[in-house]
Amino acid sequence: MLVYPSGVDVSSSTLRFLAERLRRRRRAISCRWRRLDAGRQALLALAHLRMGHTYAQLAAGFGVGTTTAYRYVTEAVDILADLAPTLADAVRAASTKAFVLLDGTLLPIDRIAADQPYYSGKHKKHGMNVQVLTDPFGQLLWASPALPGAVHDIRAAREHGIIDALAQADAPCRADKGYRGAGGTVRIPYRGRWHSLSAGQQAVNRSHAKIRARVEQAMASLKNWRLLRKLRCSTTRITALVKAVLTLHLASSDR
């Protein structure tokens, strides 16, 4: 395999953040020596998450075996996933905001037609359903565990306990029509054809759409990490990957 210099469009502070966590991990397990130091391991993991490079490509570029590249990435992802905010953390943050935005996104996966539970009829492709909560400005607060793509948004929200948690905290939430019947503090636009709505209902729906447009920033923030644009790993690893990306996104936002 040919090897060439390349770049990863993440900040140096993000690299330092991950490298420090890896150093702490190595000290905790009394790791004396590895082929790559913590800084290089952090760069390898970021190249995988940000650029979507395969383990074979990473192994060639960093001069390690494919198995070693897999082990390094898995370790980094698990460390980052453990640092991701929980739903309880997000709800506490939501209680200090005027409102929060709730939406779901489909992360495409490489499954075939036979894998029916992963097929989303809405998006006409196989994937995993991930729910996100953001603040009124579209900044990510939380990302849910991944569920098969066939799961509808309202069902996913209920399974994760999002609706009940927001209701208990009395945190106002704005969502789209896919959450019809959610109840609690979740508010959705008025249903019906545009011409059949009253002038007041149309005004409410226009305002609602302008507010909810900001949640698209959160989806874009997630999918800027190219690995999430087409996942080719086991579906059991996708939750950890999403949480790892969320941790890195929040870490870079804080700097």
Side-chain angles (χ1 to χ4, degrees), residues 78-167:
D78 289 343
I79 289 171
L80 291 169
D82 288 341
L83 297 173
T86 64
L87 178 57
D89 296 330
V91 170
R92 278 194 295 273
S95 64
T96 67
K97 311 291 183 182
F99 59 87
V100 291
L101 302 172
L102 170 63
D103 202 0
T105 188
L106 188 81
L107 302 180
I109 59 175
D110 60 342
R111 290 298 184 271
I112 59 174
D115 296 313
Q116 195 63 31
Y118 300 100
Y119 185 77
S120 168
K122 175 182 176 181
H123 298 276
K124 308 301 181 185
K125 64 177 70 172
H126 292 81
M128 299 294 284
N129 180 305
V130 173
Q131 302 290 302
V132 299
L133 283 173
T134 78
D135 69 11
F137 303 100
Q139 297 299 313
L140 280 165
L141 298 176
W142 177 75
S144 75
L147 292 175
V151 177
H152 195 273
D153 282 341
I154 180 63
R155 178 183 160 193
R158 285 173 175 153
E159 287 195 19
H160 296 311
I162 301 170
I163 298 168
D164 290 340
L166 291 173

Side-chain angles (χ1 to χ4, degrees), residues 26-98:
R26 293 185 182 194
R27 288 195 295 267
I29 63 175
S30 300
C31 178
R32 296 184 178 180
W33 181 87
R34 286 189 180 181
R35 184 69 178 271
L36 299 182
D37 61 26
R40 293 287 287 172
Q41 181 183 352
L43 182 58
L44 183 149
L46 290 174
H48 178 66
L49 294 170
R50 187 70 174 185
M51 311 305 294
H53 293 328
T54 65
Y55 297 121
Q57 291 171 321
L58 294 171
F62 284 83
V64 297
T66 303
T67 302
T68 301
Y70 171 81
R71 189 172 66 250
Y72 280 171
V73 169
T74 300
E75 181 182 43
V77 166
D78 289 343
I79 289 171
L80 291 169
D82 288 341
L83 297 173
T86 64
L87 178 57
D89 296 330
V91 170
R92 278 194 295 273
S95 64
T96 67
K97 311 291 183 182

